[in-house]
Amino acid sequence: MVKIGILNLQGAVSEHYDITKKAVKNMGVDVDVEYVRYADDVAECDGLIISGGESTVIGKLIHKRGIDKVIKDNNISVFGTCAGMVLLGKKTDFDQPLLGLMDITVKRNTYGSQKDSFESPIEIFGKEYTGVFIRAPVLESYDESKDDIEVLSTFDDEVIAIQQGQHIAISFHPELTEDTLIHEYFIREVLNKQ
């Protein structure tokens, strides 16, 4: 059975779990969704979701527990939101451990502090969607020479969602909405890889 892991280290983890379960139910597919905390748990996953939170803390735990090695060795698809977007990149504006799975440079906390959080309509996959931005990062740059990179959404001329191969990075919080559109897209991508 295909398994999607919700990395349970820090951040909006339960919200990602709930919306992923809802997406699986809406799609009517045979996919297991589980919380994962250690490398052995992650090794059993076909896809992994890394939530928002404190990217420095999550990155250190991923590295300390060997989760980064397992993701790379097992070719696991990763969907990162907010802090997860930072971790997927090869560079950021702070010295911290990164997964480096995508040829992107991410600028942390572009949209300000917690009190500057906001919601705004955005467009993604040709549909209107509510973007929830909380201390959100944006893409500073990406390697335009790579033909497997696709910009999925922009907001105020900033890239807020991007995909490279099997990995997806977005700066906002889809788990804080009721809309399963983006989670369903990731699940389909994982299923298509099987």
Side-chain angles (χ1 to χ4, degrees), residues 9-185:
L9 298 179
Q10 195 237 3
V13 177
S14 62
E15 292 88 347
H16 264 296
Y17 177 85
D18 292 344
I19 199 164
T20 305
K21 292 285 279 186
K22 182 179 172 183
V24 166
K25 185 176 179 185
N26 289 351
M27 296 169 75
V29 292
D30 196 16
V31 172
D32 190 23
V33 181
E34 289 188 14
Y35 291 110
V36 292
R37 293 178 61 92
Y38 298 97
D40 288 348
D41 306 326
V42 174
E44 296 175 7
C45 297
D46 302 286
L48 182 69
I49 296 176
I50 303 176
S51 68
E54 178 44 61
S55 64
T56 311
V57 172
I58 299 170
K60 285 178 180 173
L61 287 169
I62 284 173
H63 182 68
K64 182 179 178 183
R65 295 182 179 186
I67 292 169
D68 49 352
K69 185 176 186 320
V70 167
I71 290 169
K72 292 168 187 171
D73 289 351
N74 294 11
N75 197 29
I76 297 168
S77 302
V78 180
F79 171 28
T81 65
C82 198
M85 178 189 220
V86 174
L87 291 164
L88 278 165
K90 290 201 169 158
K91 289 182 189 170
T92 188
D93 55 349
F94 189 75
D95 184 19
Q96 65 179 88
L98 300 171
L99 288 168
L101 296 172
M102 297 176 70
D103 294 296
I104 60 175
T105 299
V106 183
K107 187 173 179 213
R108 297 169 17 135
N109 301 336
T110 302
Y111 290 108
S113 66
Q114 196 87 9
K115 66 179 174 49
D116 300 313
S117 302
F118 66 95
E119 293 183 15
S120 180
I122 61 165
E123 187 179 299
I124 189 164
F125 308 128
K127 298 184 177 176
E128 189 170 287
Y129 189 90
T130 301
V132 179
F133 295 83
I134 303 170
R135 295 177 59 214
V138 295
L139 227 65
E140 197 163 29
S141 64
Y142 62 96
D143 188 342
E144 296 183 43
S145 71
K146 302 282 185 180
D147 57 8
D148 63 342
I149 287 187
E150 180 185 359
V151 172
L152 303 176
S153 184
T154 60
F155 178 74
D156 285 346
D157 298 324
E158 302 277 11
V159 175
I160 56 169
I162 193 163
Q163 179 170 357
Q164 183 172 13
Q166 65 193 16
H167 306 303
I168 300 165
I170 65 173
S171 63
F172 51 94
H173 289 266
E175 77 281 7
L176 300 181
T177 74
E178 294 298 314
D179 194 332
T180 59
L181 174 71
I182 299 173
H183 286 76
E184 287 185 31
Y185 179 84

